[in-house]
Amino acid sequence: MEFTRKNRQLLSRIATNDRHGENSPYFDGWKAYDSNPFHPIHNPDGVIQMGLAENPLCFDLIEKWIRENPDASICTAEGLDKFKDIAIFQDYHGLREFREAVAKFMGRVGGNRVTFDPNRIVMSGGATGANETAIFCLADPGDAFLVPSPYYAGFARDLRWRTGVEIVPVHCKSSNNFRITRAALEEAYEKAQRSNINIKGVIITNPSNPLGTVLDKETLRSLVSFVTDKKIHLVSDEIYAATVFSSPRFISVAEVMQDMDCNRDLIHIVYSLSKDMGFPGFRVGIVYSFNDDVTNCARKMSSFGLVSSQTQFLLASMLSDDEFVGNFLRESSKRLAKRHHVFTKGLEEVGISTIKSNAGLFFWMDMRPLLKEQTTKAETELWRVIINKVKLNVSPGSSFLCSEPGWFRVCFANMDDKTVEVALDRIREFVLQGKEENNHEADKSQARAQRWRKQNLRLSFSSSRLYDESLMSPHMISPHSPIPHSPLVRART
Amino acid sequence: MGKVRGGRVKFDPDRIVMSGGATGAHEMVAFCLADPGEAFLVPTPYYPGFDRDLRWRTGVELVPVVCESSNNFKITRAALEAAYEKAKEANLRVKGLLITNPSNPLGTILDRDTLKGIVKFINEKNIHLIGDEIYAATVFMEPEFVSISEIIEEVECNRDLIHIVYSLSKDMGFPGFRVGIVYSYNDAVVSCARKMSSFGLVSSQTQHLIATMLSDDDFVDSFIVESKEQLFKRHEYFTLSLSEVGIGSLKSNAGLFIWMDLRKLLKEKTLDAEMDLWRVIINEVKLNVSPGSSFHCDEPGWFRVCFANMDDNTMEVALLRITTFMHKHNEAMVPRKLCRRASLKLSLSRRRDDFMSQNMMSPHSPIPQSPLVRART
């Protein structure tokens, strides 16, 4: 108490409130993981990190490219002559080659249906910085943005903390696969107006985190026309654009704008290489606005979070390599698709369904049947069981502001194949145990089945499956199987 | 950071928090320590970037602590108190004092007594002290640099009020790498700043390079020594050449610039006259120097001139332009008056000979393209 009061007098409001969001339960899972991280040899009983949306699946391709392109580094004999100029370079316009390479990359990721202008490429401190910068440019303290839920937990900090701007969630429902409907937007907007909340814009994440789905053309058009009507902004966070691994293809808001009557000054894109390339450490955030004033303002603000010139130089070279990029994007999609398939199939086999998704580094798992009751409290209880007993750090839907309890985001890309098996084993074991218990309580079982039917879940569940030979084999069930030391897992600690 | 301070202080790695360059560090500190509408005191003249870094997105105000040439721009207790009072009168709540030591634009360092006085002041007022020590390793001559981190070991104070901003942009010459550091003695500030650092972390690629480079003790030790050597040489040559044509500058021993005194060239002691002179320097002498008013200097006629960011040839060209200009100017003035007032060592006759021979080398002589100069774009 004393400490807080003293701090409140000494420090700012921002420093003493908790709008940084790190006190949210989202991070409790991290803490559990940090204190007991899984390691195939040293700590096979540890918590497996499935709450981190990272994409290291194609690092072998990147390492190969780096080996073959020593002049892309200013720290090699081949690149050293550039060191001086690069180390001195702090122009907030950024290296021309970097902007051009990023613009080209963004175009390719969008299927080459749009050309991005290098002069609109503005840097920021990761997507974290990009989202904050966009808000600083577009809104004042007290203003608000509509954000369809479920949404990325970090938005609470990135959009609100230092900006003083509020988030008004637009709750989307599983009954229509969490679609963002015009009606939902209008309702949220009207409600905000009535409460004297000044809505400055809408933030969408496409492909969606945590859903892993892409927005279809119709929804995008509807969003663009909605903001144009209301004269508010649309910020489209397209950070997962290249993680689309099966159809339908990714459609950028930039593409949709091309054949629509809309106010381009209202449209802005946030991009980053953290997910698509797997480079979160490099802090490559991009603000791309179709509004000249916003571009100029964001560029000035980029001084607070420029991309290291050393990194700009490396990426300018890497992303200009058309052959490499083409191959990378293809391989990345393939590997993500495979990993996604292994998981979702494995889950299906024990009766756990996920929302049908074709993008992202995670899936949105439906654990509603396992809830004691359809409440956030029950979800949190289930989550603690998953963390502490099943030893998987997954992220509860409530941390994404999901209005329906029982959903969990599970990241599948940030581990090697063997760890995937361990994770699946643990889930299978947990579900089987749970079902064995339930089989003793016929009523509960029936009620649950009714609920499942009501909610249109696809289950391949039959009692014979439970005693399937393959599931019973010790190798598959035991989480203690010796697993060779995975560098991926090692990288997590 | 410890080595740069002669090994007299130890810095705790757990207090090292990253930010997007010193630019990001300053903004981050402002966000942690002050609310919109609150204020920091800043001694003038000060780095113009502060107006953006500390105020723009934070809504924090800056109140100048006016320092004067009459006592070499020393930060006096009287000046601090006056500024504090002025803020009070304007209904501004002062949350802290920001000092840049070594100073930009002066190139001077704060002496021990001044530093102690400053720490006492902030302690009494219970306000924060932010020490921007971005030029710490550019001290090329006696007296030795004294860091706030040293002073707090000697003066009793509330450490929760003490914060240092650092960067590798000036000391190492790496502005492109965006290595900003916030080092606070206040645990809550460290914790908050660390959360905020997400908005401007240093690229892990760069962290890796810097970690290796700066862990190489032999390299660092010789770099620091060599850097000072080069800066000293450049500074000495530059100031000597200027004094030979009657241009004085504030006696300095640090930084990458000199604080040039052109007050006597002003038509009158006004801001307008300074701007007129500045336009002449830009357009006729063709040197981009920074006018004192952009640093909120109270007295017109001072200019900051950076001397490190060019090769020797370019420096010669710059000096030639200055001497040409001064020669023209001196011809228009009474030489006697000039000598006495400035108390400068002039060897005018020798200068004229030099000038005549150098007449052949006009500013338009082909000069090999310097990579350093090219990098300025």
Side-chain angles (χ1 to χ4, degrees), chain B residues 200-218:
Chain B
L201 293 171
V202 177
S203 168
S204 52
Q205 177 191 21
T206 302
Q207 289 186 49
H208 188 260
L209 167 67
I210 299 296
T212 311
M213 196 185 280
L214 298 187
S215 313
D216 185 338
D217 286 329
D218 287 340

Side-chain angles (χ1 to χ4, degrees), chain A residues 250-261:
Chain A
F250 167 67
I251 302 173
S252 166
V253 69
E255 185 186 329
V256 152
M257 279 167 67
Q258 278 173 160
D259 33 41
M260 262 190 90
D261 219 349

Side-chain angles (χ1 to χ4, degrees), chain A residues 43 69 122 207 254 259 396 448 491:
Chain A
N43 191 18
N69 292 274
V122 171
D259 33 41
R448 210 166 264 120

Side-chain angles (χ1 to χ4, degrees), chain A residues 166-181:
Chain A
E166 299 299 337
I167 294 177
V168 172
V170 179
H171 291 296
C172 301
K173 307 209 156 69
S174 63
S175 49
N176 66 348
N177 288 316
F178 299 98
R179 215 186 158 86
I180 305 169
T181 62

Side-chain angles (χ1 to χ4, degrees), chain A residues 246-476:
Chain A
S246 66
S247 67
R249 67 175 179 86
F250 167 67
I251 302 173
S252 166
V253 69
E255 185 186 329
V256 152
M257 279 167 67
Q258 278 173 160
D259 33 41
M260 262 190 90
D261 219 349
C262 67
N263 183 353
R264 297 169 74 88
D265 276 347
L266 300 173
I267 315 290
H268 324 275
I269 294 175
V270 158
Y271 188 59
S272 163
L273 298 181
S274 300
K275 311 295 177 182
D276 286 353
M277 296 292 295
F279 294 158
F282 291 173
R283 316 311 303 146
V284 183
I286 303 290
V287 176
Y288 189 99
S289 175
F290 291 90
N291 180 320
D292 291 346
D293 289 338
V294 173
T295 301
N296 287 330
C297 180
R299 190 180 289 121
K300 291 180 172 72
M301 289 185 177
S302 67
S303 296
F304 298 112
L306 293 170
V307 176
S308 168
S309 53
Q310 176 190 20
T311 302
Q312 287 184 51
F313 185 74
L314 169 70
L315 296 174
S317 192
M318 194 186 284
L319 299 183
S320 317
D321 186 337
D322 288 333
E323 206 186 309
F324 165 77
V325 168
N327 186 41
F328 178 90
L329 292 174
R330 269 188 305 274
E331 243 342 272
S332 179
S333 290
K334 245 197 266 179
R335 296 178 191 186
L336 284 169
K338 186 162 170 223
R339 183 57 72 80
H340 179 267
H341 179 75
V342 163
F343 254 113
T344 45
K345 190 142 191 300
L347 291 175
E348 253 176 56
E349 285 166 6
V350 289
I352 296 179
S353 74
T354 62
I355 207 157
K356 188 164 186 293
S357 65
N358 67 320
L361 309 172
F362 33 70
F363 48 82
W364 193 233
M365 186 168 69
D366 188 357
M367 301 287 262
R368 288 175 299 171
L370 278 82
L371 290 186
K372 289 202 181 74
E373 38 176 34
Q374 299 299 307
T375 62
T376 306
K377 188 158 176 280
E379 176 187 281
T380 307
E381 275 169 26
L382 175 58
W383 180 55
R384 277 193 228 290
V385 168
I386 300 176
I387 299 259
N388 298 318
K389 299 229 175 80
V390 192
K391 304 257 182 68
L392 302 175
N393 177 28
V394 298
S395 313
S398 52
S399 63
F400 297 89
L401 276 284
C402 186
S403 56
E404 294 171 35
W407 295 91
F408 290 80
R409 188 191 77 170
V410 183
C411 298
F412 59 71
N414 63 313
M415 60 189 74
D416 63 7
D417 291 331
K418 293 283 165 42
T419 312
V420 171
E421 284 307 319
V422 175
L424 277 171
D425 282 347
R426 290 184 185 183
I427 295 174
R428 282 187 198 113
E429 191 177 316
F430 170 67
V431 175
L432 293 182
Q433 260 174 19
K435 285 177 180 162
E436 271 172 27
E437 281 165 20
N438 290 341
N439 278 339
H440 296 309
E441 303 176 42
D443 287 327
K444 275 193 180 166
S445 173
Q446 211 184 24
R448 210 166 264 120
Q450 273 177 349
R451 257 205 312 279
W452 290 331
R453 274 195 292 276
K454 226 195 291 178
Q455 286 150 4
N456 293 323
L457 295 168
R458 198 161 68 78
L459 291 175
S460 50
F461 175 67
S462 68
S463 40
S464 60
R465 200 95 180 90
L466 273 178
Y467 303 100
D468 196 337
E469 281 301 312
S470 60
L471 290 176
M472 287 302 280
S473 90
H475 170 71
M476 293 302 282

